[in-house]
Amino acid sequence: MKISPDSHNKILPGSTLGMLGGGQLGRMFTIAARTMGYEVAVLDPDKASPAGKLATKHLCADYSDQSALDEIANSCDAVTTEFENVPASTLDALARTCPVRPGAQAVTITQDRIHEKNFLKDNGFPTAPFAVIHSLDNLKSAIKTIGAPAILKVSRFGYDGKGQFSIKAERDADKGWETLKGEACVLEQRMPLDIEVSVVLARGLDGEVMTYPVAENIHEEGILDVSVVPARINKALETKVTSMATKIANALDYVGVMAVEFFISNGELLVNEIAPRPHNSGHYTLDACVTDQFEQQVRAICGLPLGDTRLLSPVVMINMLGDIWHGGHAPKWQKLLDHPNVKLHLYGKHVARLGRKMGHFNVLASNIDDALNLANKLKDQLSQAD
Ligand code: ATP
Ligand code: MG
């Protein structure tokens, strides 16, 4: 049931929040929202969607299904998304009836690498050298100007390193263009990376921004593997990263939770990409911050004051992919549960596929070295088949 916002436009517990997308990010949002007394309606075409199972209502339909969208519009007090691929037209249509946060404009920019890279460039944010590619000829000449090695990335629908092709030399152009099926792409110079970091932040309706501590991220085959917080970077760089992320959120006139991924290449800070939603590298906040990123998403979209983002403990987050479900058997959770400062999060996915994000765990300790040592030991134990 829709409840009118209070006199200050705050959407309060008892109201219904709409979530477009039912994956793990939608699930953790649903948990936070329901804990706070909100109802949640999830739209996701997958019957077994992780968020759908915990929602007040799961609308099992496509993102362009008109009757499902009508139901969301008529029953929800605010709507948000958990992934960037919801069509902008859907967000625009919903926005006629209820607040949609973040709005179609910010999602349109961040769901398409070409728009995103041009937005960053036009607003003076540094990125790796890139070129927009619409044809094989474009690609051939861009390899000459950008240089190899480079990475060809599809403009839309890429995630976890999917939709990318590594260009090692000019002769890889045909193969790359064919592999990515002639879709619009960007070609990016492959940068030497000192370290990768990210910042999750929230921007409220009034433009207030709260940033979380910078996370240091380690990827394995294009997929986030480990986040270490606080990141092992100096204070000056940390301030620069945080301030650049804040400026990006302001330039997008963003409302909600978002993340900015950065490269640090030969000491220089470069923006990699923007996610218009909570982020995998922010899962540490669930156990290590005063307010986690999902409660913060609820607060931001409901027009509430943003929560305190303070870090309460050094923390290491380890992603668990389907790869460690050997022969379909779940890993030995006891290895994690034996430790009082290790926190297990599973997403309720029944089918474990290679590369599929099944869950994560957070290791809290009084310093990063201890947290990393224990996290790595547990990671090894979990991945062993027996
Ligand atoms: P996700 O959405 O999961 O973050 P994605 O598919 O959007 O992933 P990117 O963030 O573009 O992919 O790339 C994944 C990883 O590949 C990066 O975090 C980085 O480790 C590496 N990578 C991507 N682009 C470059 C680059 N230009 N130079 C060096 N490494 C890169
Ligand atoms: Mg990325």
Side-chain angles (χ1 to χ4, degrees):
M1 190 191 52
K2 277 208 195 205
I3 294 185
S4 314
D6 77 352
S7 53
H8 300 97
N9 273 330
K10 291 183 173 53
I11 296 164
L12 295 174
S15 309
T16 303
L17 306 178
M19 168 52 78
L20 305 179
Q24 63 269 19
L25 300 177
R27 177 181 172 100
M28 290 182 270
F29 167 87
T30 300
I31 293 170
R34 299 209 64 185
T35 300
M36 294 163 80
Y38 292 88
E39 308 297 338
V40 180
V42 166
L43 175 61
D44 189 297
D46 179 3
K47 271 208 297 288
S49 93
K53 285 185 219 171
L54 303 185
T56 319
K57 178 148 204 181
H58 176 196
L59 296 156
C60 191
D62 198 74
Y63 300 111
S64 51
D65 183 291
Q66 200 48 53
S67 70
L69 291 171
D70 288 345
E71 186 164 348
I72 294 266
N74 293 329
S75 64
C76 294
D77 299 276
V79 174
T80 191
T81 56
E82 62 126 34
F83 73 123
E84 44 273 51
N85 295 327
V86 174
S89 54
T90 299
L91 300 178
D92 266 334
L94 286 170
R96 282 187 223 118
T97 333
C98 61
V100 176
R101 298 168 180 158
Q105 188 215 350
V107 176
T108 301
I109 293 171
T110 52
Q111 72 184 184
D112 183 313
R113 278 190 208 277
I114 297 175
H115 292 321
E116 182 173 274
K117 286 272 195 285
N118 284 331
F119 159 83
L120 291 167
K121 189 172 159 190
D122 295 347
N123 287 278
F125 298 110
T127 64
F130 72 94
V132 173
I133 309 294
H134 289 292
S135 69
L136 180 58
D137 280 350
N138 282 169
L139 177 58
K140 286 183 172 163
S141 58
I143 298 175
K144 289 197 177 73
T145 42
I146 300 277
I151 307 176
L152 187 63
K153 302 182 178 180
V154 283
S155 190
R156 296 285 311 264
F157 305 115
Y159 70 100
D160 288 347
K162 293 189 178 71
Q164 301 196 3
F165 187 90
S166 177
I167 303 273
K168 298 198 180 67
E170 265 184 73
R171 63 172 180 279
D172 295 335
D174 293 278
K175 184 80 195 301
W177 187 244
E178 192 191 305
T179 307
L180 300 187
K181 302 191 174 68
E183 280 181 50
C185 289
V186 294
L187 182 74
E188 247 180 68
Q189 194 177 104
R190 185 181 281 281
M191 308 305 290
L193 302 181
D194 312 342
I195 186 173
E196 288 189 73
V197 297
S198 59
V199 177
V200 174
L201 62 80
R203 189 167 180 276
L205 266 183
D206 56 359
E208 181 200 12
V209 173
M210 291 286 279
T211 56
Y212 281 97
V214 178
E216 169 185 341
N217 300 320
I218 301 157
H219 293 80
E220 195 66 54
E221 295 181 20
I223 306 180
L224 181 65
D225 184 25
V226 180
S227 292
V228 177
V229 187
R232 291 166 293 181
I233 56 174
N234 65 44
K235 193 82 200 148
L237 188 54
E238 189 186 311
T239 307
K240 212 169 154 187
V241 165
T242 305
S243 121
M244 199 177 287
T246 303
K247 286 184 185 142
I248 292 173
N250 288 335
L252 285 168
D253 197 19
Y254 197 84
V255 177
V257 169
M258 59 170 258
V260 185
E261 297 176 16
F262 294 91
F263 298 144
I264 294 155
S265 175
N266 293 326
E268 201 193 337
L269 185 60
L270 304 172
V271 179
N272 172 21
E273 58 177 355
I274 307 164
R277 51 172 169 77
H279 195 257
N280 194 164
S281 70
H283 289 353
Y284 76 86
T285 64
L286 285 162
D287 301 305
C289 288
V290 176
T291 310
D292 69 65
Q293 62 171 346
F294 300 100
E295 174 182 343
Q296 196 75 306
Q297 187 179 19
V298 174
R299 287 175 164 274
I301 69 166
C302 290
L304 301 173
L306 300 175
D308 189 346
T309 53
R310 205 158 22 110
L311 187 70
L312 299 171
S313 164
V315 55
V316 169
M317 190 276 324
I318 304 280
N319 259 349
M320 295 187 294
L321 304 182
D323 308 43
I324 60 173
W325 267 245
H326 300 288
H329 298 294
K332 295 198 187 67
W333 302 130
Q334 198 62 44
K335 303 262 186 226
L336 300 181
L337 298 170
D338 281 346
H339 293 272
N341 296 320
V342 174
K343 302 288 184 178
L344 172 64
H345 299 260
L346 289 170
Y347 308 148
K349 299 180 183 178
H350 294 305
V351 184
R353 285 189 293 273
L354 292 181
R356 189 177 198 205
K357 289 175 178 168
M358 302 295 287
H360 68 270
F361 62 93
N362 288 324
V363 178
L364 288 85
S366 55
N367 62 71
I368 285 301
D369 287 342
D370 287 354
L372 262 175
N373 284 339
L374 178 56
N376 283 325
K377 191 174 105 190
L378 292 170
K379 194 176 155 201
D380 286 347
Q381 289 178 349
L382 284 184
S383 37
Q384 277 160 18
D386 62 359

